[in-house]
Amino acid sequence: MTAVTDQDHTGHPERSDRPDAGAGSPEAQDAKDEHGVEGDDKREDDGYGEGGDGEPSEGPAAQVPWDDGLIARRGTGIAGTESAGRERSTVLEARKPAPQTVTPLVYDPPLLSRLDALHELVGLSRARLDGRTLAGASRVLDEAAARRRLSGQHTVVAIAGATGSGKSQLFNTLAGVAISETGVRRPTTAAPIACSWSDGAASLIERLGIPPRLRRRPLQAMADADDRLRGLVLVDLPDHDSAAVQHREQVDRVLAMVDAVIWVVDPEKYADAMLHERYLRPMSAHAEVMFVVLNQIDRLPGEAAEQVLDDLRRLLDEDGIALGEYGEPGTTVLALSALTGDGVDELREALGRFVAERGAAGRRIGADVDVAAARLWPVYANRRWAGLSEEAREEFSDRLADAVGAGAAGEAAERAWLRNANRACGTPWLRLWRWCQDQGGPPTGKLPQRAQPDQEVTARQRVEQAVRTVSDRASEGLPAPWAQAVREAAVRGSQGLPETLDALAVRAGLPPGRPPRPGWWPVAVLAQASMTILQFVGGLWLLGQIIGFMSPNLGVPVLLMVIGIIGGPLIEWSCRMAARGPARRHGQEAERRLREAAAGCGRARVLDPVAAELLRYREVREQYGRVVEVGAGVN
C-alpha cells in the first residue's frame, strides 16, 4: 500500500550508494522481519511515523509513478497487519509535478442573487446595527468569496466524531492506507490531516490551514479503482469532545470552511447531548451536505444495529435535520464497520455520487446564507406594516398647530377684522367711546406673543408630546434597532423646533399690511357719513330757529336728526352682520397660513427624517426578502 504527500523530495541518493547495512545484514534482516520492508525503507517510513505529539511528522519518502509526480511512501496496512510477509514494489525515480490548471467554483444564478442581496443588506445596515449582529452574515460573504476563487472541481469533506468513534479508522479505510493514527491513547488525532484523490487541491487545503507535512494521497490502486472519488479531499479532524481545548477549536474552525462533513458516531455516544446541541442541531440547515455514519456495528448483536440506527434517525429528526430518504434531499444516514469493512462500500458509493455532482460547495454556502438569514430575522422582520399613515401626519400637524396657537391666531385675526369693520362703519360717537375704552384697557384682537414663561413651557411640552406621538406611531411594529433609529431621527429633528415655531408664528400669524375690505365697505362708510351729516344739519337747523336766525319749522330738522340718529346705528348693525362672513374667512386664512407654516416646519425637521429611516428600512427589508426568497425555514 502506498500513500503520497504533496511534498517533492527529489534528488535522493540511490539506495545502493548509501553506507548502511546491506540487505543481508542482521540489522536489516531484523527490520525486514518486523515490518515487512528493508532497513532502508524503514528509515524512510520513519519520516511519517508518530512524532512527540502523536502527529505524523515530515521526513524523506520514496516515490511511485503518480500522474502528478508527488512523492509516495510505503506504509503499513490499515490495521497494521497486512504488511507482514508481503512483497514491496521497487522505488522509482521521482519526477516533478506538471503544472495544474484549477477551474474556479461557479455559483448558480439563484445563489449569486442571494449573495448580492446579502451584501447589499449588510452595507445598508452597518450604520444601524452593531458589528456583532452582522458578524455572521459578513463571515458568510467572506467565506463565499474565498471559496469561489478556489477549485470548483474538488469537494472538501471533513470526518468528525467523538473520542473513540473510529473516525480515523474510517478515514484510513476510505484512503486504503494507514494515514491517520489510530489507537487506544486519547486523543489520538491531534491535528487535521488531508487526503486528496486528485491534483489541484493545494489551495483548498492551504485555506484549511493544514501544513504540507499533514497532506496525503490515497493508495494508488484504490484511487485508480475509485475514479468516482476523483475530486474528493477528505480531512480527518481531531475529536470534537477532546479534553484539549485547541483540538476543539480546530474542529470548529475547519467545520466552518469545508464543503461537507461526515459525522461518525458509535453505539455508545450516538445520543451524546454535546454532539446534538452544539453541532447537529445548529447545523440542521446543512442537512444536504452532511453524512451521519453509525460506526462499529460489528459490536452490536442481531437486530440491535437496526434498532440503534432507527433511534439515531429519530434523534436527527428531533434536531430538525431532514433525512435523505426515498430520494428526497437531506442527510444520508448509514451504518457500517470500519474495522470489518461492512457498509464501507455503500458509503464510498454515496460519496462518489456526492462528489460527482460538484454542487456541495454551493449547497454549503446556500445553507450558510439560510442560517445567517435566520439569525437576522429578529432585526429585519416586522410584526405589522410599518410607516407613517396620512392620519398620523395630519395628527402631528394638528398638534403643532395647536402648540403654536394657530386656532387662537385665527380667532384674533377675525376679531381684528371685525374691529376694523366696526371702526370704519360705526357712528362717530360710538367710535369715540370705544377709543376711550381702548386707552384705559389692554389691546384686543391682536396675536398673543406668549411672553409669559408658563405659556412657553406649555407650548414646548406640546411640541415634545407631538414628536413622541408621531415617532411611536412610525416605529410601531418595527424591529428594535430600526424602531430606535426612527425615534432618534425624530428627536434630532425636534431640537430647536419650539423656537422655530415661535418665529413662524410672529411672521405668519398676522397678515401683512391692512386686511382686505369688501366692495360694499366704501358705500357703508359713505352712508354712515351721510347719517352723521343729517344729524349735524338737523341740529344746526334747530339751533338757527332757536336763535331766530331761521323761521320756525320743527318738523324738518327733527326728522333729519331722527333719521341720522336712528340710521347710524342701523347702518353699523347691518355692516356688522355683513362683516361676519369676510371676518371669518380672514381668520380662517390666517389660521391656515400658520398651520401650513407649522406643518412645513414639522415636516422638514421631523417627518422627513423619520420617512428617510422608514425608506431605508423598506430597502433593507426588500433585500432581506431576496436573501430568504429561496431559503428554508425563514419567513
Side-chain angles (χ1 to χ4, degrees), residues 302-371:
E303 298 180 355
E306 289 296 332
Q307 295 175 357
V308 173
L309 193 62
D310 291 341
D311 192 48
L312 175 60
R313 290 192 178 99
R314 179 187 61 81
L315 293 175
L316 294 177
D317 184 68
E318 292 179 356
D319 292 335
I321 298 177
L323 303 181
E325 299 176 338
Y326 310 108
E328 298 177 356
T331 297
T332 301
V333 182
L334 299 173
L336 54 81
S337 172
L339 180 63
T340 63
D342 186 19
V344 175
D345 290 339
E346 184 179 357
L347 174 62
R348 185 177 286 111
E349 182 179 356
L351 271 177
R353 293 193 302 266
F354 184 78
V355 172
E357 292 175 358
R358 300 289 189 264
R363 290 198 295 271
R364 168 61 194 262
I365 297 299
D368 289 343
V369 173
D370 289 340
V371 173

Side-chain angles (χ1 to χ4, degrees), residues 7 10 59 65 76 83 130 135 150 168 258 280 348 361 378 397 521 528 530 532 546 553 556 572 591 596:
Q7 293 175 301
T10 58
T76 59
S83 60
D130 58 273
L150 301 177
S168 296
V258 296
L280 294 181
R348 185 177 286 111
S397 300
W521 198 326
Q528 193 65 261
S530 301
T532 303
I546 292 173
N553 186 3
V556 176
E572 181 180 359
E591 181 180 358
E596 289 181 353

Side-chain angles (χ1 to χ4, degrees), residues 105 107 139 143-144 147 150 154-160 192-194 204-205 207-210 232-238 250-263 279 283 286 288-291 354 359-368:
L105 179 65
Y107 295 140
R139 186 194 65 80
E143 291 296 331
R147 184 63 180 91
L150 301 177
H154 291 80
T155 301
V156 183
V157 180
I159 298 183
I193 302 175
L204 282 171
I205 301 176
R207 177 170 172 260
L208 300 179
I210 301 177
L232 173 64
V233 178
L234 202 60
V235 180
D236 185 22
L237 297 179
Q250 289 189 73
V251 171
D252 296 341
R253 177 184 61 82
V254 175
L255 284 179
M257 294 185 290
V258 296
D259 301 329
V261 58
I262 301 175
W263 291 102
Y279 293 102
M283 296 182 66
H286 299 75
E288 295 186 35
V289 291
M290 284 199 305
F291 294 80
F354 184 78
R363 290 198 295 271
R364 168 61 194 262
I365 297 299
D368 289 343

Side-chain angles (χ1 to χ4, degrees), residues 357-394:
E357 292 175 358
R358 300 289 189 264
R363 290 198 295 271
R364 168 61 194 262
I365 297 299
D368 289 343
V369 173
D370 289 340
V371 173
R375 291 176 179 173
L376 291 176
W377 185 86
V379 298
Y380 289 116
N382 53 316
R383 297 183 298 274
R384 54 180 293 275
W385 180 87
L388 275 176
S389 63
E390 193 63 30
E391 180 182 357
R393 293 174 179 270
E394 292 179 358

